[in-house]
Amino acid sequence: MQHLFVTIVFGIKSMKMKIHSKKVILFVTGMLTLFAILPAFSTKPFPISSNDSILNWMKNENVPTVGICIIEDAKIQQIKMIGNIEYHSPAPENTLFNIASLTKPLISMTTLKLVSDGQWQLDEPLCHYWTDPDVVNDTLNRKLTTRHVLSHQSGLPNWRGHEPNGKLSFAFEPGTQWKYSGEGFEYLRKALEVKFNTPIERLVDSLLFKPLGMNNTRFYWDNTVDSTLYADRYDTEGKLYAKEKWYSANASNLVLTTVEDYGKFVIAILKGNYLSPEVQNEMIQKQALLNNGNEVGLGWFLIKNLSNGGYALYHSGSNRGQNTKIFLLPKSKKGIIIFTNGENGNKVCEKIISEYFDSGKEILNRIK
């Protein structure tokens, strides 16, 4: 502002106009008054003020659409949509993405909410409510608990369809090792549905989506979804994959949502008022240790002892032609959510995190 004022004053002088001194004083006074009131009507500058760099990254990696939500002080500071989708140029803020495995934190928080409310137990065997037919004769099914599922220590494969015989089986005793598992979340879904006699989509809707105002979030396609808002998937060369729709809920994958809706979810976590204090604290305790030295909590991966003294919660999602990421700094109540619809979206995500998120470079180095 001071530099602008000086420019104006010298600009007036350089014009060498014969202006009455009283008029000059009135003009300058008016300008100063205007500058004084401007901050009251302006917003805090967005951290992502230009699209140029991100557009170049997207172009280089053949990623057509990127959605970003930046959280500061447990509030949405910025929502940024960059690129286009088939029926909209530019892509609108309510663009829908398939968030892949970012579905898992939604299921985790819903389950922990039930634990907070005393309606579900972390360490109760799931066989009290559900036993998958594939493992009914394996006694290890009696040891499987919610804690094992949320920390990926179930011993179950990621997907049974990738197993040699296409059947579910335990690779190890639950709780003794770590192995990422989508099937574990599906196993938990079946147990929850039996216990509460409610489909998972209705359970999550009543406990999470509606209370948090996540009105644009769905587990599957229905007649309320505007398909023109969907960010279709693209391969490494930028070629469009065939559009796919699904009509049943999966506890591990496929939720449709917007970056703003997911931001509302993040805010509830950062504020710490969605779960009870005891369960919130349990969520960030080490349940398992990864090879890179990072930890696994309940529903989240954790990076402890950052150089700023804080810690990070993170999760990612990846399907063919889709990459999504979320990083949270609970102590400073900051977060970033990135959705992309390209096979190479992960590379764009990493550049954005490195450039625009506190401790971004350190965090990316720690998860290698």
Side-chain angles (χ1 to χ4, degrees), residues 129-148:
Y129 307 104
W130 166 257
T131 300
D132 189 282
D134 284 357
V135 297
V136 68
N137 295 320
D138 190 332
T139 58
L140 290 180
N141 84 73
R142 301 172 194 168
K143 297 186 176 184
L144 180 62
T145 69
T146 297
R147 186 185 299 274
H148 297 144

Side-chain angles (χ1 to χ4, degrees), residues 253-366:
N253 194 8
L254 303 177
V255 157
L256 290 164
T257 192
T258 65
V259 287
E260 181 179 15
D261 264 21
Y262 213 88
K264 294 174 182 178
F265 167 63
V266 166
I267 287 169
I269 296 167
L270 292 178
K271 285 185 174 179
N273 56 7
Y274 180 70
L275 304 176
S276 69
E278 295 79 13
V279 174
Q280 179 90 3
N281 182 63
E282 187 68 20
M283 179 184 76
I284 61 172
Q285 299 306 308
K286 181 178 73 174
Q287 309 293 326
L289 188 66
L290 301 178
N291 291 335
N292 62 9
N294 294 325
E295 300 176 6
V296 184
L298 295 176
W300 297 97
F301 298 95
L302 299 98
I303 304 173
K304 300 283 186 69
N305 302 315
L306 292 172
S307 59
N308 64 6
Y311 67 96
L313 301 178
Y314 71 98
H315 210 290
S316 63
S318 178
N319 283 333
R320 191 174 66 160
Q322 294 156 330
N323 283 275
T324 58
K325 287 189 182 296
I326 175 174
F327 289 86
L328 309 180
L329 297 172
K331 290 201 171 183
S332 58
K333 300 191 183 303
K334 295 182 178 183
I336 187 167
I337 303 157
I338 309 174
F339 297 166
T340 74
N341 67 336
E343 195 79 33
N344 293 331
N346 189 54
K347 297 177 183 178
V348 177
C349 288
E350 290 183 352
K351 290 181 182 295
I352 293 170
I353 292 161
S354 177
E355 184 72 21
Y356 295 108
F357 190 54
D358 286 357
S359 303
K361 291 182 175 66
E362 180 183 4
I363 287 171
L364 290 174
N365 285 333
R366 292 278 299 275

